[in-house]
Amino acid sequence: MTTLADLHRPGIATHFARVLVSRATRLGVPEAQLLQAVRLNRELLEEGRVRISPVQLGALMRMVWRELDDELMGFGAGAHRFGTFALMARQMVDSATLGEALRYSVRFYNLTSPALRWQLRESGPCELALSLTEPAADPDHLLEEFMLLIWHRFCNWLIGERIPLQRTAFRFAAPAHRAEYRLMFPGPVQYGQAVSSIQVDGAWLRAPVIRSRRDLRRYLQRLPDEWFVKQIFADSVSARVLRALADASADLSLEELSGQWHLSSRTLHRQLKREGSSFRRLREQYRRDRAEALLLEGNGPIGEVAQSLAMTEPAFSRAFKLWTGMSPLAYRRARRR
């Protein structure tokens, strides 16, 4: 079971990758091909303490989509051919408001999908509910989890704001990996409900859709990775902090940055907290993402990777083991195998 300590490490539990690999293998996709996509071997995939990156899970999910020609990844009653989401999203992005976009998406999938039944309740709190026509095809509930996650994240992107979840409900009992929901569905989560759903303030239905078809083309190119990262919108304080960290190769403190921006460190900390973030977490996120790229792409000494992140080698090795459960050298070897 995922522990709260695990959640302080960036990344995603290997649980989701294990379920995807198991299902795709049963449907005829070679396991070696799948593991190569996620850049893990079987031993690391089974290791509960290892956390993978959004890029790894995204690469695996993309491969399963294409090999099965099914965006439901074999977990539904019938397939959604590759490109179904893009077709629907092109119409949603032309909507004037979020409510109009959601009403279209519900009609689209209820007319075209043999696997999913969506219901949108607009009176009082807005509730988007999902039922599977064959729930037995999704025994680990991965499809239900991903569909609710995707719809919340895509709606956030459409209006350029993070919509707070008032409640997330699941029809099944609390799973062993339920601690991951603190990252996936921040807010109250209930189990054993009549239907799986997400609930938000109904006022969000009136929010204008601000994205264009050109924006959507770029968004679709980043899928599904985009669904598994913490959403940071371009005009947010968090996005500005990440850009500043990249410019300084992470050699920057909260006090230094707040001084550059002519703010007090307390004010900057407060602004980040309102976005559900912190300077420390953003710096860790930048360092881990950059470290993974350097370890995978290059053959240089670990000390050079540490130096490029403004860290000593011992400090970097300790931090990287906390993030991934492995030393940098072991991680490089495992990923390349």
Side-chain angles (χ1 to χ4, degrees):
M1 175 179 169
T2 306
T3 67
L4 292 181
D6 290 328
L7 294 177
H8 290 297
R9 301 204 306 271
I12 301 165
T14 52
H15 159 81
F16 303 104
R18 283 196 299 273
V19 173
L20 272 173
V21 168
S22 175
R23 184 65 170 182
T25 300
R26 287 200 297 273
L27 293 175
V29 184
E31 182 180 275
Q33 185 178 349
L34 295 164
L35 293 179
Q36 184 178 14
V38 79
R39 299 192 294 276
L40 288 175
N41 57 32
R42 167 53 63 177
E43 181 182 356
L44 291 175
L45 190 67
E46 296 294 341
E47 172 53 66
R49 293 185 306 125
V50 173
R51 297 181 72 78
I52 60 176
S53 71
V55 172
Q56 288 174 283
L57 185 58
L60 176 62
M61 194 168 171
R62 250 189 324 272
M63 175 169 286
V64 174
W65 279 352
R66 288 171 175 155
E67 291 297 317
L68 299 180
D69 192 18
D70 180 11
E71 291 180 356
L72 302 185
M73 302 165 290
F75 293 107
H80 282 189
R81 297 194 64 184
F82 190 56
T84 301
F85 178 84
L87 181 64
M88 179 210 59
R90 288 189 187 99
Q91 298 303 315
M92 289 182 72
V93 83
D94 288 338
S95 302
T97 65
L98 180 62
E100 183 182 327
L102 279 173
R103 286 189 286 272
Y104 175 82
S105 70
V106 167
R107 288 196 303 273
F108 178 91
Y109 273 127
N110 286 348
L111 283 171
T112 63
S113 173
L116 309 176
R117 291 293 176 267
W118 289 97
Q119 183 176 6
L120 179 64
R121 189 189 73 190
E122 300 186 44
S123 58
C126 170
E127 183 176 63
L128 183 64
L130 169 67
S131 300
L132 304 185
T133 58
E134 287 188 13
D138 185 30
D140 295 290
H141 317 300
L142 184 139
L143 182 59
E144 283 183 76
E145 295 167 336
F146 276 11
M147 294 304 289
L148 292 181
L149 175 75
I150 288 165
W151 248 241
H152 181 229
R153 299 272 172 116
F154 186 55
C155 288
N156 289 345
W157 179 82
L158 282 173
I159 66 170
E161 293 189 61
R162 188 175 294 108
I163 304 171
L165 289 171
Q166 293 183 338
R167 185 188 76 148
T168 301
F170 290 110
R171 62 173 182 80
F172 46 82
H177 63 280
R178 61 187 176 275
E180 293 292 319
Y181 291 172
R182 291 166 59 93
L183 304 176
M184 299 169 68
F185 307 103
V189 179
Q190 298 175 349
Y191 304 97
Q193 303 300 301
V195 67
S196 296
S197 66
I198 52 176
Q199 180 179 298
V200 303
D201 190 317
W204 287 104
L205 293 177
R206 298 190 293 275
V209 171
I210 65 168
R211 305 297 182 177
S212 67
R213 288 205 173 193
R214 183 178 179 182
D215 296 330
L216 180 63
R217 282 195 295 272
R218 291 193 293 266
Y219 181 83
L220 293 172
Q221 288 171 352
R222 299 194 299 270
L223 294 185
D225 310 30
E226 185 77 17
W227 293 330
F228 306 131
V229 298
K230 182 178 176 62
Q231 288 184 298
I232 297 175
F233 297 107
D235 57 351
S236 67
V237 178
S238 298
R240 292 178 61 204
V241 169
L242 284 174
R243 289 194 293 268
L245 288 167
D247 291 341
S249 298
D251 190 12
L252 195 64
S253 67
L254 175 65
E255 292 73 20
E256 289 168 337
L257 182 56
S258 56
Q260 291 177 17
W261 290 357
H262 307 291
L263 300 171
S264 70
S265 56
R266 183 175 296 180
T267 298
L268 181 53
H269 173 75
R270 209 163 40 238
Q271 290 176 348
L272 290 170
K273 188 175 181 180
R274 278 199 296 268
E275 295 180 356
S277 190
S278 72
F279 184 85
R280 180 185 62 81
R281 285 200 294 271
L282 289 169
R283 186 165 59 184
E284 275 201 358
Q285 176 183 329
Y286 169 78
R287 281 175 164 163
R288 175 182 169 158
D289 291 347
R290 183 65 182 146
E292 285 187 337
L294 291 171
L295 288 170
L296 184 63
E297 296 165 4
N299 294 305
I302 302 303
E304 289 183 4
V305 176
Q307 187 177 5
S308 71
L309 298 173
M311 300 175 76
T312 65
E313 184 173 349
F316 170 66
S317 295
R318 285 195 300 271
F320 195 84
K321 192 163 187 179
L322 180 64
W323 297 334
T324 67
M326 293 177 284
S327 71
L329 190 58
Y331 187 83
R332 172 186 276 169
R333 288 172 178 166
R335 294 270 299 264
R336 290 184 174 180
R337 280 203 301 271

